[in-house]
Amino acid sequence: MARKTTRKRKPSATKNSKFLTYVAWFLAIVALMLSSLVAGYYFGFKDAKDQNTKTILQEKKKTKELQSKLEKTTHKQEDVAKRLQEVLKKESKTYTSASHEIDDAELVNPPKQIQKTKVVMTHKPKLAIIIDDVSTSAQVHSIKSLHIPITMSFLPPSPARPNSARLAAKEGFYMVHLPMEAEHFSKEEPYTLHVRDTQQEIMQRVAEIKTLFPKVAYINNHTGSKFTSNEIAMNRLFFALKKEGVHFVDSRTTAKTQAPKVSKNYGIEYVARDVFLDHHMEEEYVKEQIEKAVKFAEEHGKAIAIGHPHKNTLQALAESKELLKKVQLVQVKDIY
């Protein structure tokens, strides 16, 4: 029989085949990894680019919104300023002149006989500005539109101004502008105090004022050149005011005022107006008087100025805010 020959596989061929398989797998894995890296880089870069673009757009949007708000704010401020000007330009009451308060024009500025001692200030001087004759809502609105501390002095209610007490009740602090007899005044206010009035009549009138204006702590005289120059009448008034816990601020409508003497007799500090703002109606004149009030306050540490709610006075005050920064504007109650 012929011998069968067995053919053996060559070990080297098998090893080479396995090696090539491993290499192929390795290369495939490397290729896959590289593809992932490239794809990741591409998409990551794209996302970053998109995010950056989104951020830029958001910033632009915010900038536009900010600009829009700024423009709106500017327009709003301009509108407020315009409205304020319109409010101040309106006559809340017809005034031919504010000079009816004072009999002698020389009294507009402080008379020599009651000049105060000059002082060296270590802080801002105080200035209180009283606006007399307040009696309507339009006047109150005009005064408050100034946004500066103003002491409003309300005329008592009368048929011509029935709402003055109700308007005052809405305010935290106010005064009453009490009509008193004048030497020369053609149109006297209702319920004016006269030198002939008895103590009982004056006490009754002051009690009525306290009932109408429960929060009142200060009154000043409307006109009153004849009444305040009469010592007996002023003694009766001070007695009635003291009983009701009300202080008197002398509007100084006459050089003959007996308020300093009577105040001293009662052991009360004399409080009076120093500068009258609108004896004449011209706006430039009022500005000059405001400047005088500021200078007087700087020289003496404090001052009281009186004006009225007509358009030129209010406009002059609105346009004098830079000047008024030299003083501390306060209510009358905070000056003494």
Side-chain angles (χ1 to χ4, degrees):
M1 286 182 67
R3 286 177 66 185
K4 291 183 180 179
T5 18
T6 306
R7 298 180 65 184
K8 295 184 180 179
R9 294 181 183 176
K10 293 181 181 180
S12 58
T14 305
K15 287 179 181 179
N16 287 337
S17 177
K18 287 182 178 179
F19 175 74
L20 290 173
T21 303
Y22 293 147
V23 170
W25 277 105
F26 175 75
L27 291 174
I29 291 169
V30 169
L32 184 62
M33 290 176 66
L34 289 172
S35 299
S36 299
L37 287 171
V38 170
Y41 176 79
Y42 172 76
F43 289 112
F45 176 77
K46 188 175 182 301
D47 289 342
K49 186 178 178 182
D50 291 343
Q51 185 63 36
N52 189 40
T53 304
K54 187 177 180 182
T55 303
I56 292 170
L57 290 173
Q58 287 176 341
E59 289 299 323
K60 284 183 178 179
K61 185 179 179 182
K62 286 180 181 178
T63 302
K64 285 182 180 179
E65 289 176 353
L66 188 61
Q67 287 175 342
S68 178
K69 285 181 180 178
L70 187 61
E71 287 173 1
K72 286 180 181 178
T73 303
T74 304
H75 290 319
K76 188 176 180 181
Q77 288 173 344
E78 288 173 354
D79 289 342
V80 169
K82 286 178 182 177
R83 285 200 302 271
L84 176 59
Q85 295 297 319
E86 289 304 314
V87 167
L88 296 180
K89 283 178 182 177
K90 289 180 180 177
E91 285 279 14
S92 52
K93 183 179 179 181
T94 303
Y95 278 85
T96 53
S97 171
S99 61
H100 66 270
E101 291 277 10
I102 298 177
D103 283 353
D104 187 350
E106 291 181 3
L107 289 175
V108 169
N109 299 312
K112 293 178 182 178
Q113 62 264 34
I114 61 165
Q115 281 284 351
K116 301 173 185 177
T117 306
K118 292 186 179 182
V119 297
V120 178
M121 296 299 298
T122 57
H123 54 275
K124 268 189 176 183
K126 294 180 179 180
L127 174 62
I129 299 174
I130 300 171
I131 296 296
D132 284 343
D133 291 357
V134 182
S135 58
T136 68
S137 58
Q139 290 170 341
V140 172
H141 180 58
S142 297
I143 293 164
K144 294 177 85 168
S145 294
L146 293 171
H147 299 294
I148 59 175
I150 294 286
T151 300
M152 288 185 279
S153 194
F154 288 83
L155 283 165
S158 69
R161 56 184 71 84
N163 299 320
S164 61
R166 285 194 295 174
L167 291 169
K170 298 176 183 178
E171 304 303 317
F173 177 76
Y174 57 82
M175 290 174 58
V176 170
H177 196 40
L178 190 60
M180 299 180 193
E181 188 176 3
E183 289 286 356
H184 310 286
F185 190 46
S186 58
K187 191 177 179 182
E188 191 174 75
E189 286 290 322
Y191 317 114
T192 293
L193 290 179
H194 297 90
V195 295
R196 66 175 181 270
D197 290 340
T198 65
Q199 181 69 70
Q200 186 60 35
E201 288 171 330
I202 291 175
M203 288 179 67
Q204 183 178 344
R205 181 58 180 151
V206 172
E208 288 172 356
I209 292 297
K210 188 67 176 178
T211 301
L212 288 165
F213 301 90
K215 293 185 288 186
V216 68
Y218 293 81
I219 69 109
N220 67 325
N221 52 296
H222 173 74
T223 64
S225 56
K226 185 174 182 178
F227 190 97
T228 58
S229 62
N230 186 296
E231 186 178 350
I232 294 173
M234 288 300 288
N235 266 295
R236 290 171 179 165
L237 177 64
F238 268 66
F239 182 83
L241 291 175
K242 189 172 182 181
K243 186 175 183 295
E244 296 293 342
V246 178
H247 303 280
F248 181 71
V249 178
D250 191 0
S251 298
R252 286 196 20 262
T253 57
T254 175
K256 300 174 184 177
T257 177
Q258 295 300 302
K261 182 178 180 181
V262 176
S263 294
K264 187 176 180 180
N265 291 342
Y266 276 84
I268 300 170
E269 184 177 5
Y270 176 58
V271 181
R273 181 267 307 168
D274 297 301
V275 178
F276 198 85
L277 298 180
D278 45 13
H279 184 68
H280 299 292
M281 301 282 287
E282 294 81 7
E283 188 178 321
E284 287 306 311
Y285 170 84
V286 178
K287 287 181 179 179
E288 289 173 5
Q289 292 302 102
I290 293 170
E291 188 173 359
K292 285 182 181 179
V294 169
K295 287 180 179 178
F296 189 85
E298 289 176 327
E299 289 177 358
H300 304 283
K302 54 192 174 185
I304 295 175
I306 286 181
H308 296 78
H310 56 70
K311 65 176 183 179
N312 285 351
T313 300
L314 300 181
Q315 192 68 39
L317 285 168
E319 294 174 10
S320 299
K321 286 188 177 181
E322 281 302 312
L323 173 63
L324 291 170
K325 287 180 181 179
K326 292 182 178 181
V327 295
Q328 180 185 356
L329 290 173
V330 297
Q331 302 280 7
V332 166
K333 65 183 176 67
D334 300 316
I335 205 166
Y336 287 94

